[in-house]
Each structure stands twice: as structure tokens, then as C-alpha cells.
């Protein structure tokens, strides 16, 4: 979860989805579109059916341009996904419509009749623990408040240094708040994150969707031309337009909007010919991906005296903590969040072991009855997922210009858009709203 108002709302009181496989699917474009050009199959190929790709498709359709979305997974939504596998739905990726005042997903939710609730109104109390022992709220919360205030300050220019360096002047007992914010809100260790990049992020009202953010994104994709289970493996931009290779064949387009996560681009999962220009590569080099992870634990209805909607925060030490969100919307589920290197280590154990470990931690806080009442778990380790390779992007210290570099169009036919390039001055970065703005604006700006 990305949220500049973390303290306010979380610590208060603490498609078209038929898989079109095979080359035949690629070529099954409407004849009228193919007739537009002897060279190109289509105007724009969009890579990725997450928030950015879906927004780009809507914008292109509104412009009367032909497009197709090529999506590697067998579902749409990318990092916005409502998991229903445990019988009690929970958002395994994005959950909040952040800075709702200007977030396009708020209006989309309204137009589709999706319920939203301002998270400030969900005031369930939180409990704080130090390594399994109930602790005072003041310690952890005080540190986070002090750090949050410092990081958000409007006084003077914010230096492009790490969060660790930025909070170095605070009293020792407050500095730990920097690590907590970095790891649990941004997903990574504070030494890896530029304080200036963080300072640029927008804040505002946070809305939550009882029926799932992922469910909303999925509905917004209905009717779009999306080829699922179609990973793009290579993009050739050496000649006119672009040629995209997938296991289903080659597609030629005038231009491409590439919305795959920064982690996927950094991993080299898509081969570019010729190699990407220095500006794009510098942008990728300057960005990192966090590891915020969610793990759902399902119970048989027992509640262990915990109120619905409350959080249990357990700081295990300077480099590890858990947040257990209990019974969201009164469902029989607890969603554990953990980030940074602590999360990478747990995810690397594999789903079975990760669930057993996190259940042990929960039992330590609430008692052995929880083990008896446990009925199943689900891990969402985005940092090990080949189609995300991380939760969301951050600029590394000294690289606050990295997002602008990545957003620079390549040869007027290759556009990188997504959460990493989201919103004016990148204030929407890291979020599904920012991804939407980035995809939409790229599609509107293209000269076709
Ligand atoms: C745990 C967690 C919590 C979060 N909480 C929030 C929150 O509360 N609020 C918020 O606004 N944001 C939150 N986020 C961030 C938000 O989910 C992302 O910023 C946003 O969804 C990114 O959208 P996107 O379109 O840029 O990328 P994605 O959603 O990742 O979409 C990119 C698509 O590209 C596809 N793809 C990858 N490789 C290929 C390939 N080779 N060929 C074809 N397709 C490919 C992927 O499968 C994916 O569908 C959270 C993220 C996580 C992981």
C-alpha cells in the first residue's frame, strides 16, 4: 500500500477475457483495421492490461484509433487484484483509491455503481507490539508521525538523499519511524529510497472498495480488446513502427505503449532491438522496486476478541515488522502485510512455508486458538512474480530524475507508461491512479 496519509487512515486509533491463443488470434483483427495500412496490423499495441494499459485502451478508443492489449497473465488488472480464492475476498495488491479528489478511479467507481468508503470513517483501534509483547502506542506511532512530518515538510527544497539520511537529525527513538514508513508504505528499506521522490507524492482522501479495487478495474476493462496469456518477449523498433513478438506470433503496430512494471523491464524479460537509448536505461537504473507483500489467513469465524477493521502492528526489530489487518468488512480473514528485505526473505520460502511462518507470528500475538481456527492461506509475493518483480517503484537516492527519463518517449513510437511515470510531476507515482493517468496521457499525446 502506498499512502502518504498512512498515519491518518491506518493508524487512527493506531474483457474481455477469452484467451485468444495462436497466431490466428493475432491476425483476427477487424478487416477494416488491417485495410488501413499494408504495413501495420494496428495503430497501437499496448503491453500490459493493468490500470495503465486499460486507461490507454479507453483513450485510444475514444480517439478512434485501433489498438490491442497484449497481456501476459490469464487475467486483467495487474497489481490491482481482488483475490477470492479463500472465500472471503481481499485486495492482494492495491486497496485504496488514494488522493481521491483527483483520482480518475473515483469517477469510474461512481459511474459503475461501485461502493466506496472513506477510510477515515473506518476508525477501528490498532494494537502495537514489540516483538510479540503488547507495547504502548506512543513509541511506534510517535516515531512515524515525527518522520512523516519531516518528510512531508514544504519548508525549503527537499534534498535528493535517502530517507535514512533525511531523518538522521531526529532523536534516536523517532528514527525507527523512517524505516517503518519506508518498509510498510513504500515496500523497501529506507536507505534505498529518495526522500525527494517521496516528498513529491500526492496525498488526499483515501477511498476503499468493499467489493474490491481489483473487481472495479476488471469491470472497467470489459469490452476492451485484450489478448490474455500473451506475453511480449521482444520489441523491435528498428524500422518503421514497432514489431512485437509473443508466443502467438508477431504484431506490427505504428507505436507501442509499454506498461509492464519497472521490475520486468529491469529483469530484461522483453528484448528491445535496437537496445533502449541511454536516457531510458538511466531511468530504469535510477528506479528500484519494493517488496510489499500481502498474505491472507482465513479463519472459521472465531475472532479472538479482535474488533473488525483493527490492525495489530508488531515490530520484530529494526529491520522487520508485520501489520495484521483483522476482519476487513467483517469478513473471516486477516491480511498480513510485510515489506522490504524481511518480505523478500519470507516470499523466497515459498507459499506453504510463508503461510506457516506468518500464522505462527499471528498466533504469538493472539493465542493458540488461532491455529485451531485457521482454515487456509494465500500468499501474494509480488517481488517474486515474473510479471511484476516488485510491488511498485521508487527513485533511488540521487536519482529523483529517473521517472522523467523513463517517461521520455523513444523515437516517437515507444512510450513507457505506468505507475512509475504517473501524474504531473510524478505525484501519482506508485499508485493505480497514477498508472491510469500515465496510460491515458500517453495515448492522448501520441501523434498517430
Ligand atoms: C501489495 C500492494 C499494495 C498496493 N497498494 C496500493 C494502494 O492501496 N493504492 C494504490 O493506488 N496503489 C497500490 N499499489 C500499487 C498499484 O497496484 C500499482 O501502482 C498499479 O496497479 C500499477 O499499474 P500498472 O498498470 O502501472 O502496472 P501493472 O498493474 O503491473 O500492469 C502491468 C501489466 O503488464 C503485464 N505484463 C508484465 N510483463 C508482461 C509481458 N512481458 N508481456 C505482456 N504483459 C506483461 C502484467 O501482467 C500486468 O498485468 C499496491 C501494490 C501492491 C503490490
Amino acid at each position: 500500500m502506498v499512502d502518504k496519509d498512512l498515519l491518518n487512515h491506518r493508524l487512527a486509533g493506531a474483457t474481455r477475457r477469452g484467451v485468444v491463443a495462436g497466431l490466428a488470434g493475432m491476425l483476427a483483427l477487424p478487416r477494416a483495421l488491417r485495410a488501413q495500412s499494408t504495413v501495420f496490423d494496428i495503430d497501437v499495441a499496448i503491453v500490459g492490461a493493468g490500470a495503465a494499459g486499460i486507461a490507454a485502451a479507453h483513450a485510444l478508443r475514444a480517439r478512434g484509433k485501433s489498438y490491442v492489449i497484449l497481456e501476459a497473465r490469464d487475467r486483467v488488472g495487474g497489481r490491482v487484484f481482488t483475490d477470492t480464492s479463500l472465500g472471503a475476498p481481499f485486495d492482494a495488491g492495491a486497496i485504496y483509491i488514494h488522493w481521491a479528489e483527483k483520482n480518475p478511479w473515483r469517477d469510474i467507481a461512481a459511474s459503475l455503481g461501485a461502493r466506496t468508503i472513506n477510510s477515515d470513517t473506518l476508525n477501528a483501534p490498532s494494537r502495537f507490539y514489540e516483538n510479540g509483547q503488547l507495547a504502548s502506542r506512543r513509541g511506534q506511532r510517535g516515531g512515524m508521525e515525527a518522520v512523516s512530518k519531516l518528510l512531508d515538510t514544504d519548508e525549503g527544497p527537499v534534498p535528493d538523499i535517502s530517507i535514512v539520511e533525511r531523518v538522521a537529525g531526529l532523536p534516536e527513538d523517532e528514527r525507527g519511524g523512517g524505516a517503518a514508513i519506508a518498509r510498510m508504505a513504500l515496500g523497501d528499506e529506507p536507505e534505498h529510497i529518495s526522500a525527494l521522490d517521496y516528498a513529491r507524492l500526492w496525498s488526499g482522501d483515501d477511498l476503499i472498495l468493499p467489493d474490491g479495487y481489483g473487481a472495479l478495474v476488471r469491470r472497467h476493462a470489459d469490452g476492451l480488446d485484450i489478448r490474455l496469456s500473451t506475453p511480449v518477449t521482444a520489441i523491435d523498433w528498428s524500422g518503421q513502427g514497432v514489431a512485437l513478438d509473443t508466443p502467438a506470433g508477431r504484431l506490427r503496430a505504428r507505436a507501442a505503449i509499454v506498461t509492464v512494471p519497472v521490475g520486468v523491464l529491469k529483469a530484461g524479460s522483453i528484448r528491445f532491438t535496437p537496445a533502449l537509448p541511454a536516457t531510458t536505461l538511466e531511468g530504469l537504473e535510477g528506479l528500484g522496486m519494493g517488496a510489499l507483500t500481502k498474505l491472507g489467513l482465513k479463519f472459521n469465524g472465531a475472532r479472538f476478541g479482535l474488533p473488525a477493521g483493527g490492525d495489530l502492528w508488531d515490530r520484530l526489530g529494526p529491520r522487520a515488522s508485520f501489520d495484521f489487518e483483522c476482519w476487513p468488512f467483517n469478513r473471516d480473514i486477516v491480511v498480513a502485510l510485510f515489506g522490504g528485505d524481511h518480505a523478500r526473505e519470507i516470499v523466497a520460502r515459498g507459499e506453504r512455508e510463508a503461510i506457516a511462518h506468518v500464522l505462527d507470528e499471528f498466533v504469538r500475538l493472539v493465542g493458540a486458538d488461532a491455529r485451531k481456527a485457521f482454515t487456509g492461506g494465500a500468499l501474494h509475493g509480488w517481488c517474486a512474480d515474473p510479471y511484476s518483480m516488485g510491488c511498485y517503484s521508487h527513485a533511488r537516492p540521487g536519482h529523483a530524475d529517473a521517472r522523467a527519463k523513463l517517461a521520455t518517449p523513444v523515437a516517437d513510437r515507444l512510450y513507457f507508461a505506468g505507475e512509475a511515470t504517473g501524474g504531473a510531476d510524478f505525484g501519482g507515482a506508485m499508485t493505480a491512479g497514477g498508472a491510469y493517468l500515465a496510460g491515458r496521457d500517453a495515448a492522448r499525446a501520441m501523434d498517430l
Side-chain angles (χ1 to χ4, degrees):
M1 180 207 63
V2 182
D3 186 7
K4 294 202 79 179
D5 292 335
L6 174 80
L7 298 171
N8 299 337
H9 78 260
R10 297 290 310 288
L11 296 176
T15 56
R16 191 159 131 192
R17 269 164 287 291
V19 177
V20 184
L23 187 58
M26 282 297 178
L27 297 178
L29 299 168
R31 189 173 312 148
L33 298 181
R34 271 187 283 149
Q36 283 179 3
S37 163
T38 50
V39 179
F40 302 115
D41 300 311
I42 202 150
D43 288 328
V44 182
I46 301 168
V47 188
I54 291 167
H58 277 288
L60 288 166
R61 193 164 71 173
R63 285 183 66 184
K65 302 297 176 188
S66 58
Y67 71 90
V68 63
I69 305 184
L70 305 173
E71 167 56 50
R73 300 180 199 270
D74 61 2
R75 61 165 181 82
V76 302
R79 286 170 277 169
V80 195
F81 174 55
T82 307
D83 183 349
T84 55
S85 67
L86 295 175
F90 71 100
D91 275 311
I95 182 166
Y96 296 103
I97 299 180
H98 290 308
W99 36 270
E101 296 86 339
K102 53 186 171 192
N103 192 319
W105 287 109
R106 184 184 68 166
D107 289 345
I108 295 166
S111 69
L112 292 176
R115 290 185 297 154
T116 56
I117 300 175
N118 190 313
S119 66
D120 281 347
T121 63
L122 301 172
N123 267 337
S126 296
R127 282 188 206 164
F128 291 88
Y129 297 80
E130 292 286 346
N131 206 8
Q133 299 300 311
L134 207 52
S136 86
R137 288 165 42 121
R138 271 198 77 231
Q140 289 182 38
R141 185 178 168 144
M144 288 206 229
E145 279 174 346
V147 169
S148 186
K149 206 167 145 199
L150 174 73
L151 293 177
D152 282 342
T153 184
D154 286 334
E155 288 165 26
V158 177
D160 190 8
I161 57 176
S162 76
I163 288 182
V164 170
E165 292 166 293
R166 181 80 172 132
V167 304
L170 290 177
E172 194 181 342
D173 60 332
E174 292 181 352
R175 267 181 256 152
I181 288 178
R183 204 174 290 124
M184 300 301 280
L186 306 176
D188 217 333
E189 304 301 326
E191 61 269 27
H192 299 322
I193 299 170
S194 159
L196 175 54
D197 190 52
Y198 178 85
R200 287 175 178 156
L201 298 179
W202 295 331
S203 59
D205 283 349
D206 296 308
L207 306 183
I208 192 161
L209 299 108
D211 302 314
Y213 205 160
L216 173 67
V217 172
R218 205 185 60 227
R219 286 176 63 200
H220 189 51
D222 276 347
L224 296 176
D225 192 352
I226 302 174
R227 312 296 161 91
L228 296 177
S229 305
T230 308
V232 172
T233 53
I235 300 180
D236 186 333
W237 56 284
S238 60
Q240 264 198 319
V242 291
L244 297 91
D245 289 338
T246 77
R250 176 167 269 219
L251 181 77
R252 288 183 178 77
R254 291 177 195 280
I257 301 179
V258 180
T259 74
V260 306
V262 160
V264 173
L265 292 170
K266 282 171 85 86
S269 311
I270 300 177
R271 186 166 38 83
F272 289 89
T273 306
L276 290 171
T279 304
T280 313
L281 294 176
E282 282 166 22
L284 289 174
E285 173 63 23
L287 295 170
M289 287 291 278
L292 188 69
T293 300
K294 291 193 187 180
L295 190 150
L297 298 170
K298 176 79 168 50
F299 296 89
N300 65 4
R303 293 285 164 102
F304 327 114
L306 302 169
D311 287 53
L312 308 182
W313 293 81
D314 189 15
R315 183 162 62 183
L316 303 178
R319 297 191 74 87
S321 42
F322 281 108
D323 167 22
F324 293 98
E325 294 177 349
C326 301
W327 328 127
F329 304 109
N330 212 19
R331 294 173 183 142
D332 294 332
I333 196 162
V334 170
V335 181
L337 282 96
F338 37 102
D341 291 341
H342 176 225
R344 293 186 177 97
E345 188 271 316
I346 294 174
V347 170
R349 298 180 191 194
E351 185 171 44
R352 240 176 86 135
E353 261 198 57
I355 292 169
H357 174 72
V358 173
L359 177 63
D360 284 349
E361 292 294 326
F362 186 64
V363 166
R364 199 153 76 106
L365 305 186
V366 306
D369 283 354
R371 197 180 302 286
K372 289 182 215 141
F374 173 70
T375 59
L379 170 70
H380 291 278
W382 299 97
C383 58
D385 179 329
Y387 299 130
S388 55
M389 301 294 284
C391 62
Y392 33 81
S393 63
H394 54 262
R396 295 169 44 225
H399 294 272
D401 58 351
R403 298 189 190 281
K405 288 181 172 172
L406 180 63
T408 305
V410 177
D412 285 333
R413 54 185 181 274
L414 206 47
Y415 292 76
F416 293 95
E419 56 84 6
T421 63
D425 295 328
F426 309 108
M430 305 185 184
T431 67
Y436 195 97
L437 294 175
R440 185 197 68 186
D441 294 349
R444 285 181 178 171
M446 305 177 97
D447 187 14
L448 293 168

